[in-house]
Amino acid sequence: MEKKDLRIVFMGTPEFAVETLKALVENDYNVVAVVTQPDKPVGRHQTEMQPSEVKKYALEHHLPVLQPVKMKDPEFVEQLRSYDANLQVVVAFRMLPEVVWDMPEYGTFNVHAALLPQYRGAAPINWAVINGETQTGVTTFFLDHDIDTGRVIMQKPFDIPEEADVEYVYDGLMHLGAEICMETLKRIIAADGHPESIPQEKLMTAGQELHAAPKIFKETCQINWNQPAKKVYDFVRGLSPYPGAWTTLVSPDGKETVLKVFKTKRTDFRHGIVASTGILDREPCVWAADELLVIEELQLAGKKRMNGRDFLNGIKNFENYIIK
């Protein structure tokens, strides 16, 4: 098989997926159509419709775009079938029904931002950082009936530095994802559409704990200061800059305001109490279960993101406030 023999449908939505679609286009693969989420209403009155990043790129490069509301919609399924693709590539998209993922002759493979079988789910990058992992990676695997459980084609590791936040890891995996996609396609071509792949069970060791990566909601992002400082530190960087870990700032008169925390710093100060507020070297700080944490970057509701010192400059008698 040669590259020209592959007719590819690409499926994806966010910026993360654009890098892989860009690699397909720039490496002269035959992308016959792009499937992405419907445009979303934005703005104060929800009157403007915003296309996905994948759609923007696809239209700029004159690629046909499909935006189904329901993946099982018979009209969409027939439209997809009309492109006669023999391979589908999925990056950061929604769950596909069998009628879609089983349609192409050579199947459908996904680029997943984790080293499967670890971190199956919608938010693998966030959860890897939240859990203090020192390494993650990307995996290509064939889709099957269950989410993120299909046979693995390739994996590439990616180191997570101690101070890295989600933005750093996201950017690294975005580019690594495009790279592994290109290598996976070469394997598919070399194997006439049927590359070697292995069941995920063979990648597991006896007694290994599997970490899930479920979708993250607002309540997921609330900081629990009763945990050890290392866990709070990892939690904050695992949600920074988006969607952002948050806590509650209580004024002396009892008014509560949401406070987003984007960056903390561990100290050598140890204490046995929790959730009391203070100032250290002109920066706000909070006791975790075992250690004092300095808040270096934060954002009060309705205000802009700023460093801790600038934040304190705008608040009088901060020692009378409570962060909980």
Side-chain angles (χ1 to χ4, degrees), residues 38-78:
D39 295 0
K40 289 187 176 181
V42 295
R44 187 171 184 179
H45 301 290
Q46 300 283 286
T47 54
E48 295 180 44
M49 299 301 290
Q50 180 172 293
S52 72
E53 294 302 315
V54 162
K55 180 181 179 179
K56 292 177 186 177
Y57 182 89
L59 293 179
E60 287 171 2
H61 292 80
H62 311 293
L63 300 173
V65 175
L66 308 180
Q67 295 178 275
V69 174
K70 296 181 179 180
M71 298 299 290
K72 289 184 179 180
D73 185 312
E75 184 177 342
F76 162 69
V77 171
E78 286 309 307

Side-chain angles (χ1 to χ4, degrees), residues 87-88 106-111 116 138-143 150-156 180-181 183-188 191 193-200 203:
L87 180 70
Q88 291 175 157
Y106 303 133
T108 300
F109 78 81
N110 183 281
V111 178
L116 293 173
V138 288
T139 301
T140 51
F141 69 97
F142 285 114
L143 267 62
R151 295 176 65 91
V152 169
I153 310 167
M154 288 188 67
Q155 292 189 319
K156 281 182 173 289
I180 199 174
C181 179
E183 293 185 23
T184 298
L185 288 170
K186 289 178 181 178
R187 288 193 182 190
I188 289 173
H194 304 286
E196 182 180 352
S197 60
I198 59 174
Q200 291 188 29
L203 298 174

